Amino acid sequence: MNPTRRRLLQVMALLPLLTLWQPDVQASTLPATTLPTTTLTIHSAQGPHRLTVELASSTAERNQGLMERDTLAEDAGMLFLYDDIQPAANGFWMYRTRIALDVAFLDAEGRINDIRHMQPCRSASPSDCPVTRPSQPYHAALEVNAGYFEAKGIDVGDCVSWPEHSGGTCRQD
């Protein structure tokens, strides 16, 4: 058998295997999230501020949070929802989070009871990343780009509402 014919037979034998091969998809080409989104309104003395937020309501979704993101739109954020009140000892960390963020901790009525600033943790070890804790228990938490709350005049005592929230006293605009 001549070398050309041998090579052709080898390639033909490998063709069925090529249909099984799928190249690795880089994480950066995947959609950032598949979480549901909603429009949230923050009621402050400066007027209503609307954000499109992703809803993180399961343990896995809350644990992932905004990890591995390179950007967050100016009018976007993530709302962490809990079934039960969370003690102040339960905080947030920035392990594998690349974006500087602010977090507002909300009570069951949707009122902001604390705002904290968080910087990315560049450590490869999660135990080296600080935990950001609120001053009091909370029922939800809202993460946005660092500086958003200050730039918009949003402060402790302001109220946050969203369509899926069933127990708040905030106005619905």
Side-chain angles (χ1 to χ4, degrees), residues 14-98:
L14 292 175
L15 278 176
L17 294 175
L18 286 175
T19 62
L20 299 175
W21 178 73
Q22 294 180 359
D24 289 338
V25 177
Q26 296 295 321
S28 62
T29 64
L30 295 174
T33 184
T34 57
L35 295 177
T37 61
T38 193
T39 300
L40 169 148
T41 304
I42 304 171
H43 308 271
S44 75
Q46 308 300 323
H49 307 279
R50 287 181 179 74
L51 297 169
T52 300
V53 296
E54 298 170 51
L55 300 173
S57 54
S58 73
T59 300
E61 292 165 348
R62 291 187 301 261
N63 286 343
Q64 178 65 34
L66 292 169
M67 286 181 178
E68 309 296 344
R69 307 272 184 102
D70 293 315
T71 60
L72 181 63
E74 182 181 325
D75 61 346
M78 183 172 281
L79 183 63
F80 296 78
L81 301 170
Y82 299 90
D83 292 327
D84 300 309
I85 197 84
Q86 299 299 298
N90 291 0
F92 282 62
W93 67 347
M94 296 289 284
Y95 175 63
R96 292 180 20 212
T97 304
R98 301 175 186 149

Side-chain angles (χ1 to χ4, degrees), residues 46-158:
Q46 308 300 323
H49 307 279
R50 287 181 179 74
L51 297 169
T52 300
V53 296
E54 298 170 51
L55 300 173
S57 54
S58 73
T59 300
E61 292 165 348
R62 291 187 301 261
N63 286 343
Q64 178 65 34
L66 292 169
M67 286 181 178
E68 309 296 344
R69 307 272 184 102
D70 293 315
T71 60
L72 181 63
E74 182 181 325
D75 61 346
M78 183 172 281
L79 183 63
F80 296 78
L81 301 170
Y82 299 90
D83 292 327
D84 300 309
I85 197 84
Q86 299 299 298
N90 291 0
F92 282 62
W93 67 347
M94 296 289 284
Y95 175 63
R96 292 180 20 212
T97 304
R98 301 175 186 149
I99 310 164
L101 299 169
D102 287 346
V103 59
F105 295 93
L106 313 176
D107 67 15
E109 298 298 315
R111 296 238 173 252
I112 298 174
N113 63 24
D114 205 351
I115 295 176
R116 301 291 176 151
H117 307 286
M118 302 185 298
Q119 291 298 318
C121 179
R122 306 210 189 285
S123 176
S125 172
S127 62
D128 292 338
C129 296
V131 177
T132 301
R133 292 181 176 89
S135 59
Q136 54 190 305
Y138 59 98
H139 201 80
L142 172 62
E143 285 184 345
V144 296
N145 284 304
Y148 179 86
F149 295 129
E150 184 176 358
K152 302 293 184 181
I154 297 165
D155 207 350
V156 171
D158 290 341

